[in-house]
mmCIF file with all atom_site columns, all heavy atoms in Angstrom:
data_model
loop_
_atom_site.group_PDB
_atom_site.id
_atom_site.type_symbol
_atom_site.label_atom_id
_atom_site.label_alt_id
_atom_site.label_comp_id
_atom_site.label_asym_id
_atom_site.label_entity_id
_atom_site.label_seq_id
_atom_site.pdbx_PDB_ins_code
_atom_site.Cartn_x
_atom_site.Cartn_y
_atom_site.Cartn_z
_atom_site.occupancy
_atom_site.B_iso_or_equiv
_atom_site.pdbx_formal_charge
_atom_site.auth_seq_id
_atom_site.auth_comp_id
_atom_site.auth_asym_id
_atom_site.auth_atom_id
_atom_site.pdbx_PDB_model_num
ATOM 1  N N   . GLU A 1 488 ? 12.756 1.467  12.368 1.00 97.00 ? 488 GLU A N   1
ATOM 2  C CA  . GLU A 1 488 ? 12.126 0.215  11.899 1.00 97.00 ? 488 GLU A CA  1
ATOM 3  C C   . GLU A 1 488 ? 11.446 0.510  10.588 1.00 97.00 ? 488 GLU A C   1
ATOM 4  O O   . GLU A 1 488 ? 10.958 1.642  10.246 1.00 97.00 ? 488 GLU A O   1
ATOM 5  C CB  . GLU A 1 488 ? 11.032 -0.212 12.899 1.00 97.00 ? 488 GLU A CB  1
ATOM 6  C CG  . GLU A 1 488 ? 10.500 -1.570 12.506 1.00 97.00 ? 488 GLU A CG  1
ATOM 7  C CD  . GLU A 1 488 ? 9.660  -2.213 13.618 1.00 97.00 ? 488 GLU A CD  1
ATOM 8  O OE1 . GLU A 1 488 ? 9.030  -1.458 14.394 1.00 97.00 ? 488 GLU A OE1 1
ATOM 9  O OE2 . GLU A 1 488 ? 9.426  -3.441 13.601 1.00 97.00 ? 488 GLU A OE2 1
ATOM 10 N N   . TRP A 1 489 ? 11.413 -0.554 9.712  1.00 97.00 ? 489 TRP A N   1
ATOM 11 C CA  . TRP A 1 489 ? 10.904 -0.388 8.355  1.00 97.00 ? 489 TRP A CA  1
ATOM 12 C C   . TRP A 1 489 ? 9.491  -0.950 8.310  1.00 97.00 ? 489 TRP A C   1
ATOM 13 O O   . TRP A 1 489 ? 9.200  -2.013 8.966  1.00 97.00 ? 489 TRP A O   1
ATOM 14 C CB  . TRP A 1 489 ? 11.774 -1.053 7.388  1.00 97.00 ? 489 TRP A CB  1
ATOM 15 C CG  . TRP A 1 489 ? 12.969 -0.372 6.966  1.00 97.00 ? 489 TRP A CG  1
ATOM 16 C CD1 . TRP A 1 489 ? 14.023 -0.009 7.757  1.00 97.00 ? 489 TRP A CD1 1
ATOM 17 C CD2 . TRP A 1 489 ? 13.247 0.178  5.728  1.00 97.00 ? 489 TRP A CD2 1
ATOM 18 N NE1 . TRP A 1 489 ? 14.927 0.661  7.081  1.00 97.00 ? 489 TRP A NE1 1
ATOM 19 C CE2 . TRP A 1 489 ? 14.580 0.870  5.812  1.00 97.00 ? 489 TRP A CE2 1
ATOM 20 C CE3 . TRP A 1 489 ? 12.653 0.258  4.482  1.00 97.00 ? 489 TRP A CE3 1
ATOM 21 C CZ2 . TRP A 1 489 ? 15.184 1.497  4.708  1.00 97.00 ? 489 TRP A CZ2 1
ATOM 22 C CZ3 . TRP A 1 489 ? 13.257 0.832  3.363  1.00 97.00 ? 489 TRP A CZ3 1
ATOM 23 C CH2 . TRP A 1 489 ? 14.496 1.458  3.532  1.00 97.00 ? 489 TRP A CH2 1
ATOM 24 N N   . GLY A 1 490 ? 8.593  -0.344 7.494  1.00 96.00 ? 490 GLY A N   1
ATOM 25 C CA  . GLY A 1 490 ? 7.275  -0.779 7.206  1.00 96.00 ? 490 GLY A CA  1
ATOM 26 C C   . GLY A 1 490 ? 7.209  -1.462 5.883  1.00 96.00 ? 490 GLY A C   1
ATOM 27 O O   . GLY A 1 490 ? 6.064  -1.877 5.467  1.00 96.00 ? 490 GLY A O   1
ATOM 28 N N   . MET A 1 491 ? 8.181  -1.442 5.092  1.00 96.00 ? 491 MET A N   1
ATOM 29 C CA  . MET A 1 491 ? 8.280  -2.203 3.821  1.00 96.00 ? 491 MET A CA  1
ATOM 30 C C   . MET A 1 491 ? 9.528  -3.039 3.744  1.00 96.00 ? 491 MET A C   1
ATOM 31 O O   . MET A 1 491 ? 10.565 -2.685 4.325  1.00 96.00 ? 491 MET A O   1
ATOM 32 C CB  . MET A 1 491 ? 8.304  -1.224 2.604  1.00 96.00 ? 491 MET A CB  1
ATOM 33 C CG  . MET A 1 491 ? 6.950  -0.544 2.194  1.00 96.00 ? 491 MET A CG  1
ATOM 34 S SD  . MET A 1 491 ? 7.082  0.429  0.679  1.00 96.00 ? 491 MET A SD  1
ATOM 35 C CE  . MET A 1 491 ? 5.460  0.943  0.584  1.00 96.00 ? 491 MET A CE  1
ATOM 36 N N   . THR A 1 492 ? 9.451  -4.081 2.998  1.00 97.00 ? 492 THR A N   1
ATOM 37 C CA  . THR A 1 492 ? 10.573 -4.972 2.895  1.00 97.00 ? 492 THR A CA  1
ATOM 38 C C   . THR A 1 492 ? 11.515 -4.388 1.773  1.00 97.00 ? 492 THR A C   1
ATOM 39 O O   . THR A 1 492 ? 11.090 -3.573 0.936  1.00 97.00 ? 492 THR A O   1
ATOM 40 C CB  . THR A 1 492 ? 10.276 -6.457 2.417  1.00 97.00 ? 492 THR A CB  1
ATOM 41 O OG1 . THR A 1 492 ? 9.555  -6.379 1.128  1.00 97.00 ? 492 THR A OG1 1
ATOM 42 C CG2 . THR A 1 492 ? 9.190  -6.950 3.482  1.00 97.00 ? 492 THR A CG2 1
ATOM 43 N N   . PRO A 1 493 ? 12.854 -4.718 1.852  1.00 95.00 ? 493 PRO A N   1
ATOM 44 C CA  . PRO A 1 493 ? 13.821 -4.204 0.884  1.00 95.00 ? 493 PRO A CA  1
ATOM 45 C C   . PRO A 1 493 ? 13.474 -4.518 -0.592 1.00 95.00 ? 493 PRO A C   1
ATOM 46 O O   . PRO A 1 493 ? 13.835 -3.878 -1.484 1.00 95.00 ? 493 PRO A O   1
ATOM 47 C CB  . PRO A 1 493 ? 15.098 -4.765 1.361  1.00 95.00 ? 493 PRO A CB  1
ATOM 48 C CG  . PRO A 1 493 ? 14.971 -5.115 2.777  1.00 95.00 ? 493 PRO A CG  1
ATOM 49 C CD  . PRO A 1 493 ? 13.518 -5.557 2.881  1.00 95.00 ? 493 PRO A CD  1
ATOM 50 N N   . GLN A 1 494 ? 12.821 -5.665 -0.743 1.00 95.00 ? 494 GLN A N   1
ATOM 51 C CA  . GLN A 1 494 ? 12.467 -6.242 -2.065 1.00 95.00 ? 494 GLN A CA  1
ATOM 52 C C   . GLN A 1 494 ? 11.228 -5.493 -2.678 1.00 95.00 ? 494 GLN A C   1
ATOM 53 O O   . GLN A 1 494 ? 10.766 -5.957 -3.806 1.00 95.00 ? 494 GLN A O   1
ATOM 54 C CB  . GLN A 1 494 ? 12.429 -7.687 -2.084 1.00 95.00 ? 494 GLN A CB  1
ATOM 55 C CG  . GLN A 1 494 ? 11.262 -8.286 -1.291 1.00 95.00 ? 494 GLN A CG  1
ATOM 56 C CD  . GLN A 1 494 ? 11.677 -8.584 0.139  1.00 95.00 ? 494 GLN A CD  1
ATOM 57 O OE1 . GLN A 1 494 ? 12.492 -7.939 0.754  1.00 95.00 ? 494 GLN A OE1 1
ATOM 58 N NE2 . GLN A 1 494 ? 11.119 -9.694 0.769  1.00 95.00 ? 494 GLN A NE2 1
ATOM 59 N N   . THR A 1 495 ? 10.643 -4.507 -1.907 1.00 94.00 ? 495 THR A N   1
ATOM 60 C CA  . THR A 1 495 ? 9.383  -3.957 -2.545 1.00 94.00 ? 495 THR A CA  1
ATOM 61 C C   . THR A 1 495 ? 9.746  -2.791 -3.490 1.00 94.00 ? 495 THR A C   1
ATOM 62 O O   . THR A 1 495 ? 10.533 -1.902 -3.101 1.00 94.00 ? 495 THR A O   1
ATOM 63 C CB  . THR A 1 495 ? 8.626  -3.389 -1.393 1.00 94.00 ? 495 THR A CB  1
ATOM 64 O OG1 . THR A 1 495 ? 8.349  -4.431 -0.458 1.00 94.00 ? 495 THR A OG1 1
ATOM 65 C CG2 . THR A 1 495 ? 7.363  -2.727 -1.795 1.00 94.00 ? 495 THR A CG2 1
ATOM 66 N N   . VAL A 1 496 ? 9.175  -2.785 -4.570 1.00 93.00 ? 496 VAL A N   1
ATOM 67 C CA  . VAL A 1 496 ? 9.371  -1.655 -5.538 1.00 93.00 ? 496 VAL A CA  1
ATOM 68 C C   . VAL A 1 496 ? 8.308  -0.616 -5.270 1.00 93.00 ? 496 VAL A C   1
ATOM 69 O O   . VAL A 1 496 ? 7.189  -0.605 -5.750 1.00 93.00 ? 496 VAL A O   1
ATOM 70 C CB  . VAL A 1 496 ? 9.185  -2.211 -7.050 1.00 93.00 ? 496 VAL A CB  1
ATOM 71 C CG1 . VAL A 1 496 ? 9.252  -0.944 -7.920 1.00 93.00 ? 496 VAL A CG1 1
ATOM 72 C CG2 . VAL A 1 496 ? 10.245 -3.147 -7.385 1.00 93.00 ? 496 VAL A CG2 1
ATOM 73 N N   . ASN A 1 497 ? 8.680  0.189  -4.300 1.00 94.00 ? 497 ASN A N   1
ATOM 74 C CA  . ASN A 1 497 ? 7.836  1.269  -3.872 1.00 94.00 ? 497 ASN A CA  1
ATOM 75 C C   . ASN A 1 497 ? 8.637  2.113  -2.931 1.00 94.00 ? 497 ASN A C   1
ATOM 76 O O   . ASN A 1 497 ? 9.877  1.860  -2.690 1.00 94.00 ? 497 ASN A O   1
ATOM 77 C CB  . ASN A 1 497 ? 6.647  0.705  -3.125 1.00 94.00 ? 497 ASN A CB  1
ATOM 78 C CG  . ASN A 1 497 ? 5.337  1.568  -3.284 1.00 94.00 ? 497 ASN A CG  1
ATOM 79 O OD1 . ASN A 1 497 ? 5.465  2.776  -3.553 1.00 94.00 ? 497 ASN A OD1 1
ATOM 80 N ND2 . ASN A 1 497 ? 4.161  0.904  -3.273 1.00 94.00 ? 497 ASN A ND2 1
ATOM 81 N N   . ALA A 1 498 ? 7.983  3.148  -2.348 1.00 95.00 ? 498 ALA A N   1
ATOM 82 C CA  . ALA A 1 498 ? 8.587  4.095  -1.411 1.00 95.00 ? 498 ALA A CA  1
ATOM 83 C C   . ALA A 1 498 ? 7.561  4.664  -0.479 1.00 95.00 ? 498 ALA A C   1
ATOM 84 O O   . ALA A 1 498 ? 6.404  4.632  -0.994 1.00 95.00 ? 498 ALA A O   1
ATOM 85 C CB  . ALA A 1 498 ? 9.440  5.159  -2.031 1.00 95.00 ? 498 ALA A CB  1
ATOM 86 N N   . TYR A 1 499 ? 7.845  5.096  0.696  1.00 97.00 ? 499 TYR A N   1
ATOM 87 C CA  . TYR A 1 499 ? 6.696  5.612  1.479  1.00 97.00 ? 499 TYR A CA  1
ATOM 88 C C   . TYR A 1 499 ? 7.106  6.668  2.552  1.00 97.00 ? 499 TYR A C   1
ATOM 89 O O   . TYR A 1 499 ? 8.379  6.716  2.803  1.00 97.00 ? 499 TYR A O   1
ATOM 90 C CB  . TYR A 1 499 ? 6.008  4.425  2.208  1.00 97.00 ? 499 TYR A CB  1
ATOM 91 C CG  . TYR A 1 499 ? 6.732  3.723  3.367  1.00 97.00 ? 499 TYR A CG  1
ATOM 92 C CD1 . TYR A 1 499 ? 6.496  4.163  4.672  1.00 97.00 ? 499 TYR A CD1 1
ATOM 93 C CD2 . TYR A 1 499 ? 7.711  2.833  3.138  1.00 97.00 ? 499 TYR A CD2 1
ATOM 94 C CE1 . TYR A 1 499 ? 7.261  3.621  5.781  1.00 97.00 ? 499 TYR A CE1 1
ATOM 95 C CE2 . TYR A 1 499 ? 8.478  2.256  4.182  1.00 97.00 ? 499 TYR A CE2 1
ATOM 96 C CZ  . TYR A 1 499 ? 8.140  2.644  5.483  1.00 97.00 ? 499 TYR A CZ  1
ATOM 97 O OH  . TYR A 1 499 ? 8.854  2.045  6.547  1.00 97.00 ? 499 TYR A OH  1
#
Side-chain angles (χ1 to χ4, degrees):
E488 186 170 26
W489 281 66
M491 278 184 183
T492 63
Q494 63 269 33
T495 303
V496 176
N497 214 331
Y499 72 98

